[in-house]
Amino acid sequence: MIRFILRRLAQAVPTLLAVVTVSFFLMRLAPGGPFDLERPLAPAAMDNLRRVYGLDRPLIAQFGYYLAALARGDLGPSFSFRDRSVLDLIARGLPVSATLGALALALATGLGVGLGIAAALRRGGIVDRLLGLAAALTLSLPSFVVAPLLQIVFGLTLRWLPLGGWEDGAPSHLVLPVITLALPQIGALARLTRASLGEGLRTQPVRTMRSLGLPPIRVTRHALRGALLPVVAYLGPLAASLLTGSVVVETIFGLPGIGRYFVEGALNRDYTLVMGTVLLVAGLVIALNIAADLACAWLDPRLRVAA
Amino acid sequence: MSARVPAAGPAGRALARLVRERTALAALAALIGIALACLFGPALTGHDPERAYPDLRQLPAGLAAQPDAGHLGSALERLAFRMRARLEGVVPDGDTMRLTLGSDAGVDRRSLVYLPRSALFGTPEVVEERDAGRSLVVAVPIRHLYFPLGTDVQGRDLLTRCLVAGRVSLAIGLAASLVALLIGVGYGASAGFLGGAVDAVMMRVVDVLYALPFVFFVILLLVFFRPSLLLMLVAIAAVEWLDMARVVRAVTLSLRERDFVRAARALGLGTPRIILRHIVPSTLGPVAVTATLLVPQVILLESFLSFLGLGVQEPQTSWGVLIAEGARSIEAAPHMLAAPAAFLITTLVALNLLGDGLADALDPRSA
């Protein structure tokens, strides 16, 4: 168990290194720099700025310095938010994105898995058929359409909920962004659960249990344990992407999360901020994938032997 | 004459089952309809996608002929101002109207070209000249324009623009999916067929790629290098081939030890030939399902990027671009969001339903 985690963590190092390297050089290859203004700076001022931020050194040296700082846990200063470090910015934005993401994840998992089970138990029934349509529909609703629609209906027409803003996480400000984030995932999770449980219910051991006269609840519980494996495997990357925020949702609802940092940082050539965000996302993806694998091993003893 | 034999073989049975899936068929019909409309529709709507009617901005959706009474007045005011003339009288008379224009310096007849140039009116005819040219009575035919889905901020016909945008969205969706499909099938079939250490390494690479925040890289690429259709196509294909590779590899693993593959090997066929001629054709079922579900993902990613302003650029347009425009003017003109969103969502739902139907039809266990 411990060895498994350690091995996976060791495997994560090269992946993260690849992420850092690719994004570092990709950004530096791109035309433009962080201090390009509409009115160009005086050459002397530009040289000064570049020296202060270490941009005058050769690229390889800069990369070395960045890695060294990274090893100390320092993500460097932000180029576009003056006097703020990237860590500082992430510490401010992450709670916002993570709160929304965690709520959306809980909502999507609860509803999606629940509906999926209901559909699998009554294959071809009303729930099943409606769910087939509804899942295809929610999967096809882009957040940048859902968000403005929700704003119109609940914000402008009914005036039940605020149009946007964070307000220190007041519950009424959370409702619309959370629904927007959760909606497509409800469909995806329901579909996955239905397919997986449907298959599980047809396996030989489950049939045997049923023929032996076990109560349906116990049979279902038994089949569900194995059927949840693909769902859990899907939840890992999903959690990572939900927790790190969504550019679209945060822009439309005016939320100060980290989803926006990335696109804004890239547009402003804020090298360190982009690197910090990419690293955070990659790290979370890896960590949550390991967590998902552990959960799978807990659900299915056969995987423990393989690991 | 023998009775018609029902289609035999797995392909025929799958086809027969697909026909029974009514939702999937309806979805297929909807898709063909949308594709045909996008292909031929723009020529039939009577509007050029770039033609702007400055007097008819943000018209709501409706079937009434334009310009209606409300827009006629403001359009005439604007035109009279350009013609440096006063609007002294407007007498509507069926499809034409009689305009009385006045100007102290004399009405310049050449300025009458402003009327047809606005595209709202036909060629004017001078009926009467009064006060030595200081007043002019002209008969102007009023054109009847139809904007079933309304117009956008610049007064362009939204239906035409949605259809033209659909060409781009669908083309990118199909092209990027095709590239992703080729990479995924080639990679997955090779990994599965070669097996052993090669397979382990190749799939490990896929695992690593899965862990990369790929959409972030796509955004980075598009922000840093000027967004172009080709770059976006390559970027999307580079992200989306992973699922396909996994599916194909899994199927290939189960095919590898089957007798027909062994027979091919015993006949002395080379590995590339076996993969191409025997493995790949046998994976087509799951590949078709995955590909059908891949296209909506690609279209969604394209419209997401275009929504952020990183994808398709003006003057080209796609559903994502139109949705972004609509979202910006949502309070004043909600139809500008609704129209392209309806096209996009209908297409995505249809593709998803078709994919589900295909999956059910190809599932050998289903009756």
Side-chain angles (χ1 to χ4, degrees):
Chain A
M1 175 80 171
I2 304 271
R3 266 186 52 200
F4 168 75
I5 299 179
L6 282 179
R7 211 182 65 210
R8 289 295 299 267
L9 283 177
Q11 281 172 352
V13 174
T15 310
L16 281 177
L17 208 61
V19 171
V20 175
T21 316
V22 172
S23 29
F24 187 90
F25 289 102
L26 187 65
M27 256 187 311
R28 298 308 172 92
L29 275 175
F35 307 116
D36 290 347
L37 302 174
E38 275 176 36
R39 217 153 46 91
L41 287 170
M46 187 64 125
D47 286 346
N48 246 335
L49 267 174
R50 293 176 65 85
R51 197 162 52 243
V52 169
Y53 283 99
L55 294 178
D56 54 341
R57 288 184 288 232
L59 205 52
I60 283 293
Q62 287 183 43
F63 186 56
Y65 279 109
Y66 186 81
L67 283 186
L70 195 63
R72 292 194 306 270
D74 179 11
L75 292 175
S78 161
F79 288 94
S80 56
F81 296 82
R82 293 287 141 82
D83 301 325
R84 288 204 181 281
S85 74
V86 172
L87 266 181
D88 195 24
L89 286 169
I90 289 179
R92 281 161 163 266
L94 190 58
V96 176
S97 298
T99 309
L100 293 170
L103 289 172
L105 190 66
L107 181 67
T109 314
L111 268 178
V113 174
L115 287 172
I117 294 174
L121 288 181
R122 293 247 182 284
R123 234 181 154 78
I126 292 190
V127 181
D128 188 23
R129 268 192 254 164
L130 280 183
L131 190 76
L133 270 177
L137 187 65
T138 59
L139 272 174
S140 314
L141 283 176
S143 56
F144 47 86
V145 172
V146 175
L149 279 183
L150 288 177
Q151 279 182 325
I152 285 201
V153 175
F154 294 101
L156 286 172
T157 314
L158 296 172
R159 296 194 176 279
W160 288 352
L161 293 162
L163 280 178
W166 177 238
E167 306 294 328
D168 291 324
S172 65
H173 287 256
L174 298 177
V175 179
L176 295 185
V178 167
I179 293 179
T180 311
L181 285 171
L183 204 56
Q185 301 308 334
I186 296 175
L189 282 167
R191 213 212 262 281
L192 198 58
T193 312
R194 170 187 175 270
S196 165
L197 183 59
E199 208 149 291
L201 285 173
R202 278 183 292 185
T203 55
Q204 214 56 55
V206 171
R207 283 188 193 173
T208 312
M209 286 172 80
R210 221 183 253 145
S211 66
L212 286 174
L214 261 72
I217 289 275
R218 282 195 55 194
V219 178
T220 310
R221 247 181 46 199
H222 188 84
L224 195 58
R225 204 178 156 108
L228 281 179
L229 282 176
V231 179
V232 171
Y234 179 78
L235 279 177
L238 173 66
S241 78
L242 282 179
L243 292 176
T244 46
S246 140
V247 194
V248 171
V249 170
E250 286 173 15
T251 310
I252 294 182
F253 290 107
L255 301 166
I258 51 173
R260 279 162 75 175
Y261 284 162
F262 180 78
V263 174
E264 281 172 20
L267 286 171
N268 294 328
R269 302 286 186 278
D270 192 336
Y271 298 140
T272 44
L273 184 56
V274 172
M275 297 284 295
T277 329
V278 173
L279 264 177
L280 177 72
V281 174
L284 262 176
V285 170
I286 291 170
L288 288 165
N289 266 330
I290 297 179
D293 283 353
L294 287 176
C296 284
W298 175 70
L299 282 169
D300 186 349
R302 282 172 303 179
L303 291 175
R304 279 173 236 170
V305 184
Chain B
M1 279 293 173
S2 63
R4 285 229 1 224
V5 182
R13 280 202 299 277
L15 202 66
R17 273 198 297 263
L18 190 62
V19 171
R20 253 182 288 146
E21 302 262 347
R22 262 176 301 169
T23 26
L25 271 192
L28 186 63
L31 279 175
I32 294 176
I34 289 178
L36 287 179
C38 291
L39 214 53
F40 301 112
L44 304 175
T45 55
H47 300 283
D48 186 276
E50 299 301 324
R51 182 77 173 92
Y53 302 92
D55 303 300
L56 302 172
R57 290 198 183 109
Q58 297 194 331
L59 282 182
L63 292 173
Q66 297 290 346
D68 59 7
H71 290 94
L72 204 57
S74 62
L76 283 174
E77 290 289 342
R78 191 184 65 90
L79 287 168
F81 179 77
R82 300 203 90 178
M83 292 156 67
R84 293 159 203 269
R86 283 186 308 275
L87 206 56
E88 289 177 339
V90 182
V91 184
D93 175 20
D95 281 350
T96 54
M97 60 178 179
R98 266 163 194 271
L99 285 184
T100 314
L101 298 163
S103 166
D104 294 336
V107 180
D108 187 350
R109 288 188 180 212
R110 283 170 303 177
S111 70
L112 288 178
V113 297
Y114 281 119
L115 286 168
R117 209 178 274 172
S118 73
L120 303 180
F121 306 105
T123 318
E125 220 174 287
V126 178
V127 180
E128 199 186 336
E129 200 182 293
R130 297 179 196 145
D131 293 346
R134 252 171 269 162
S135 185
L136 209 60
V137 180
V138 285
V140 191
I142 307 174
R143 292 184 54 191
H144 293 283
L145 301 165
Y146 294 93
F147 303 95
L149 296 182
T151 56
D152 70 359
V153 255
Q154 296 181 42
R156 294 177 293 195
D157 178 42
L158 206 53
L159 175 62
T160 315
R161 288 192 68 75
C162 281
L163 294 175
V164 170
R167 287 182 186 169
V168 177
S169 287
L170 291 175
I172 292 181
L174 289 177
S177 299
L178 190 68
V179 178
L181 184 138
L182 291 179
I183 304 176
V185 170
Y187 195 92
S190 308
F193 187 74
L194 296 172
V198 182
D199 176 41
V201 170
M202 283 176 88
M203 285 341 261
R204 188 77 206 120
V205 169
V206 170
D207 286 345
V208 170
L209 290 179
Y210 257 112
L212 295 183
F214 239 128
V215 173
F216 278 42
F217 280 124
V218 174
I219 294 178
L220 267 190
L221 266 177
L222 291 173
V223 169
F224 289 153
F225 304 98
R226 263 184 339 131
S228 72
L229 279 187
L230 187 69
L231 181 62
M232 184 159 66
L233 225 144
V234 171
I236 292 178
V239 179
E240 300 283 359
W241 63 272
L242 297 172
D243 283 328
M244 185 66 80
R246 281 198 168 170
V247 169
V248 173
R249 171 186 173 263
V251 180
T252 309
L253 277 182
S254 72
L255 289 172
R256 198 157 57 118
E257 299 306 325
R258 294 273 288 277
D259 287 339
F260 69 95
V261 178
R262 287 190 187 179
R265 207 179 291 154
L267 283 172
L269 263 65
T271 306
R273 208 172 147 74
I274 297 179
I275 291 179
L276 272 180
R277 298 277 303 153
H278 296 274
I279 301 282
V280 170
S282 310
T283 62
L284 281 186
V287 166
V289 175
T290 317
T292 319
L293 296 173
L294 181 65
V295 178
Q297 276 182 48
V298 169
I299 295 182
L300 203 56
L301 184 53
E302 178 273 319
S303 47
F304 167 71
L305 292 170
S306 295
F307 179 84
L308 291 178
L310 303 173
V312 176
Q313 303 290 313
E314 287 280 347
Q316 270 176 321
T317 188
S318 77
W319 286 330
V321 176
L322 292 180
I323 289 174
E325 282 173 16
R328 273 196 292 276
S329 53
I330 190 159
E331 283 177 57
H335 71 278
M336 279 182 55
L337 175 70
F343 273 99
L344 176 68
I345 292 170
T346 313
T347 308
L348 296 181
V349 170
L351 279 166
N352 277 322
L353 287 177
L354 183 64
D356 288 353
L358 266 181
D360 283 348
L362 291 170
D363 185 353
R365 276 165 310 191
S366 65

